[in-house]
Every structure is written in C-alpha cells, then in structure tokens.
Amino acid sequence: MSNAGYFKYLLPAAMATVFGTFSVWSQQPDNKNPNDDVRGKPIKAKTEPNNVFKNWVEREVPYIITDAEKKAYDKLTNNQERENFIEAFWRRRNPNPDSEVNEFREQYYERIAYANEHFASGKPGWKTDRGRIYITFGKPDSVDAHPTGGSYDWPSYEGGGSTTTYAFETWSYRHLDNVGEGVEIEFVDPSGSGEYRIARDANEKDALLHIPNAGRTTNEELGLSSKANRISGIGNNSFQREQDSFFSRQQIQQALFRPPAVKFGDLLPTANSGVVGDNPLQFDLRIDYFRQADDRVITAFTVQTSNRELKFEHVGGLEQASMNILGLITAVSAKRSGIFEDSVTTNATSAELAETRDRKSVYQKAIALTPGIYKVDVVVRDVVTGKKGIKSLSFVVPKYDENKLSTSSLILTSKLRSTDERDSTQMFVVGNTKVVPNLSGEYKTGQEVGVYLQVYNVGIDPTTLRPAADVEYILTSGGKEILRLAEDWSGLSDSGQRLTLARILPTSLMPAGDYEIKVQVKDRVGGQVIENWGKFTITK
C-alpha cells in the first residue's frame, strides 16, 4: 500500500485498535487477605496511546492545518476529543457539506499518493518542496520541465543571453487563493539527486553562475550590468518582471508556505438561519445569465458593498479592509447546486484613504447551472469588525430556445474594455471583454456608462455567412427620447457567430437625472425583434 493509502486508512484502523484494546482492571486482592473487598480499591487504567493522532498532525496535515487549529488540537486531552476535532477539521474544508463524500479530503489523500510516487528523492515525496506545493495547491496549470538541464537561453526578463543550467522545473498556476494571480514557482536540482528545491531567484538554476565570464546575460555582455552584481543582487534590474524581484519572490514563497486559509464554514449557520443580528452589513447582489450551451447557462453572482461599510486597519504600511463572502445555491428540489466562498481585500495609502472610502468593493463568481428555479443565500462579513449581512434571492436560470432570438442579461457597467493577458484568470471576464457591473446604477457626470449584451440565434446572411441584425441603442429620460445610436460594430462590439454588444455612453453632456437605455435587435433574416432595458442615474 502506498504511503498515502497508509495515511488514509491509518486513522480508522488505529482508532479501532485504540478503543478496542483499551482495558481497565481491578487491583488484585492481597494473597494474605483473601477476604478483602476490592470494590473500594483504586482502578489502574492504561493511558490512551496518542501516537496515531500525533502522526495525523505531523505526517498527514502539516501543510494545511492552521496555527490556531494546531494550538487547539495540542490542548486536547483524550482520543475522543481528537477524533471529534479531526472530523470537524475535514468538515470545515468540505466544498459540499451536504455530500456524504468529502471531496476535499479524498482529493487531498490522492495528492499525497501522487507526491510519494513522483517526487521521492531519498526522502518521501510528501516531504519535498514539490510534494508540499502539489499537496497544498494541487496540479499546476502548466509545467516547463528541464530534467537534464543543459543549454538555456535566458528570456528577456532574465537578462537575455545563454548559459548552462542544472535540472529545473517551472510550475505555473493561473490563480492561488491568498497567493496571487499568474503564480510561477521554480524548482532547481543543483545536486542531481532528484530533489528539487524552490529557488529564491532565477540565478539558482545557472550552473555557470560562479564561473567568470561564462554564461553571461546580454546585459552583462553589453556592459550594462555585471555577473558580480547579479550574484549579489545589486544592479539595474529594470528588465525584470515585477514578480521576479527579490521582494516579490519572498512574499510569494511566504504565502506558499502558509497553510491555506480555511474557507468560511463558520458562516454556514448564518446562511442557513438568515440571522445576522443588529446593524447588519449592507451590500447589493445581482445575478446575470449568459448562454453557454443548450442545457448550461453561465450564472454570474456579483456582490458589491460600499467601502464605508467596511473597517480599515493599518497593515504593512497600508490601510486595508477585507470582507469574506459565502454563497449557497439551492435548487427548487432543496438539493445543493453550488457553493462559492472567497475574500475581497481593498488597500489604500493614508493619503488615498478618504477617496477609497467613497468607492465600492466588488466581487463576482460565475457558475454553470442548468435551466430551472434556484435560491441563493449570500453572507458577507467584515473581517475586522465581524459585522455580517445576508441576502436571499430566488432566481430562474432561463432556458434558451435554439430557434428563438434571445439575449443575455443587459449589464450597465462601471468598467468595460477588451481583455488582455492579465485578465485571463480574473473575475468579470465574459468572452473577450472585461465587464464590471455597476450594481447601484449611479454615475457621476463625466463618468462613462458601459452597456454590455450578448445576442443569440440571429439569422445568418447567406451571402456573407455572418449574423444579419440591426441594433439600435435608444436613450430616454422622463419618457422622452434624447439619443438614438445604430450599432456600427466598431469599438468593443463583435459581430461574430454570437453577437456581443459593448457600447460606452459618455455622460459629460447629460444633465443629472434618471435615464433608461433600450437595446433593440432586429433579425433581418428571420424578422424577429427583441428588446432589453437598463436604468441608471446621473448625479453631479
């Protein structure tokens, strides 16, 4: 059996041993006094063995148990308490509390098995750096492996040029909670033993680093830098990516070696009861729909709160406010259909704090659901004050008829632009567009109003083989039409197979007041017409 299999089945078997062999016996009567009554004499009991439970902390969950949990565990005095603690430990991490199978725990032990099988190098795979990262964060999104090292061309952000390297691997993760976006982790095996260690900087893989005039970068060849400066970390590193700087690497590595934050299972009782107490935290909740397939609809849940609802505290030289978010999605059958939990952090300098308080913090989670009736319960908590708010909404995920002209939700945005590389794993990305909803619908004079809409099942022009539709944006105020624009497919709009409408309306010439925007789509092939509306307010 693999070590992971041993880990997985050790605890139940050991508990059977612990509780099955626990024995109590009475003190034997003194042979000289055979008539003594032993019932009043003290009982001798074996101390409950706890090696199995100690191994659970030190060998099974050392990378994911938090300091607070370990301290609490160390204070337990008997195996029944330890058993209860372990049960609660896994339950807090269960992504679907209603399921009989704890997917997190099953996946966790599978990772241990994989690490032991693939990363062992004179020590068990789970004890290596690669094993630790794999067990904690799972399979990387991509791996750039150089198992034998050899000739290597430095990329421009490492200075250019060529050198010879030790064996190394670069693991890339698009997103890691509480670590960052686009995380790259480099492992180097300078000894050739198969034990790859996390590199503190890009130079650790350079086998020629300490050989004079060998393996120089382009900058060193041109005299713009020197190898001595590269070794010492001194010099012009303007070519570096920000994530490759010494301090960024240190911050990422510190975050990688911290136990992952336990999700907000403690908010479940609040979500289930709906009770948050006096002075609840106020926030807005919006649900939008985008067709993915005939039987799947991307359902986007957007949470927005004013920063004035949150408490800022001084952290690391910045003013910081954070909120935890938990969402439970339930189908009409009362079956759990999804769960999302995350945190949102807002930072500001002392000089920026007043302006930041006037802004809003926004979070979004997109989940694919089948058409039907659902309910979502969302709990938001201020991390500093503990103040909570809850909203419960019933919603209907639409069924899109493949023969009928239809649209996604119409979204009025606070930010609307084409995506770039930085947005690939970020929130608020729909197709090729970054779409940040404005849940309040309030805009200041001069602030741009973004309008985003997808259109489905437009007829295809047999000549151009492209969707044939006329689109107009009609702006009214007080029941009077004040602006009408025809879509010319310029800017962000796209007239591909699935029509994407993304229009920005300037407000500099609009007086303060309430407005309504109507998007009218006419299918020139099938003759169908569909309209969608949105309302917003302009303030001075």
Side-chain angles (χ1 to χ4, degrees), residues 321-372:
S322 299
M323 60 179 179
N324 295 339
I325 299 171
L326 171 69
L328 303 179
I329 305 167
T330 308
V332 68
S333 62
K335 180 181 178 181
R336 181 70 53 77
S337 300
I339 183 170
F340 57 90
E341 44 192 344
D342 216 325
S343 60
V344 176
T345 299
T346 301
N347 294 306
T349 64
S350 299
E352 297 169 339
L353 183 58
E355 183 179 353
T356 301
R357 286 185 185 277
D358 289 332
R359 296 176 181 170
K360 300 180 186 295
S361 292
V362 188
Y363 165 85
Q364 187 178 85
K365 179 66 175 182
I367 297 177
L369 297 174
T370 57

Side-chain angles (χ1 to χ4, degrees), residues 67-264:
D67 291 340
E69 287 175 323
K70 192 173 186 304
K71 289 178 182 177
Y73 186 83
D74 289 342
K75 293 179 181 178
L76 302 180
T77 58
N78 62 68
N79 290 336
Q80 183 62 55
E81 290 179 347
R82 296 183 185 104
E83 182 181 6
N84 293 338
F85 180 96
I86 292 170
E87 181 181 352
F89 176 91
W90 292 117
R91 187 171 60 247
R92 282 194 297 274
R93 291 162 171 80
N94 188 358
N96 187 357
D98 295 335
S99 172
E100 295 182 1
V101 178
N102 189 321
E103 294 179 5
F104 178 90
R105 181 174 58 193
E106 295 294 316
Q107 185 182 67
Y108 181 79
Y109 283 111
E110 288 174 2
R111 291 177 182 176
I112 293 177
Y114 185 92
N116 286 332
E117 183 177 351
H118 292 84
F119 305 138
S121 58
K123 65 170 79 171
W126 70 272
K127 285 188 174 182
T128 65
D129 281 357
R130 287 187 300 172
R132 176 173 189 154
I133 297 302
Y134 189 92
I135 291 169
T136 306
F137 299 105
K139 180 181 178 181
D141 294 304
S142 64
V143 175
D144 180 20
H146 300 258
T148 59
S151 179
Y152 176 73
D153 293 328
W154 295 105
S156 59
Y157 54 80
E158 291 180 347
S162 299
T163 189
T164 299
T165 69
Y166 303 113
F168 75 97
E169 293 183 358
T170 303
W171 291 13
S172 299
Y173 292 89
R174 287 189 292 270
H175 169 80
L176 292 178
D177 287 345
N178 301 310
V179 179
E181 309 292 336
V183 178
E184 293 182 0
I185 309 168
E186 198 166 71
F187 301 92
V188 179
D189 177 19
S191 65
S193 64
E195 182 179 348
Y196 290 72
R197 298 180 180 178
I198 289 183
R200 292 167 297 176
D201 60 58
N203 296 317
E204 289 195 21
K205 63 178 175 288
D206 186 359
L208 305 180
L209 181 62
H210 296 286
I211 300 177
N213 298 319
R216 292 192 295 175
T217 67
T218 300
N219 281 13
E220 291 161 0
E221 293 280 358
L222 296 175
L224 302 176
S225 182
S226 71
K227 180 175 282 193
N229 287 345
R230 177 153 60 96
I231 294 173
S232 65
I234 301 174
N236 179 17
N237 295 322
S238 59
F239 56 85
Q240 280 187 337
R241 300 175 301 178
E242 192 279 332
Q243 68 194 63
D244 296 321
S245 70
F246 174 78
F247 292 108
S248 292
R249 284 219 181 199
Q250 291 299 306
Q251 288 178 340
I252 290 173
Q253 290 186 19
Q254 288 176 9
L256 290 172
F257 286 138
R258 284 196 298 263
V262 180
K263 294 298 186 178
F264 318 123

Side-chain angles (χ1 to χ4, degrees), residues 290-305:
F290 305 92
R291 179 184 176 183
Q292 183 183 45
D294 290 343
D295 62 342
R296 305 292 284 180
V297 176
I298 298 298
T299 307
F301 301 87
T302 306
V303 175
Q304 175 179 281
T305 186

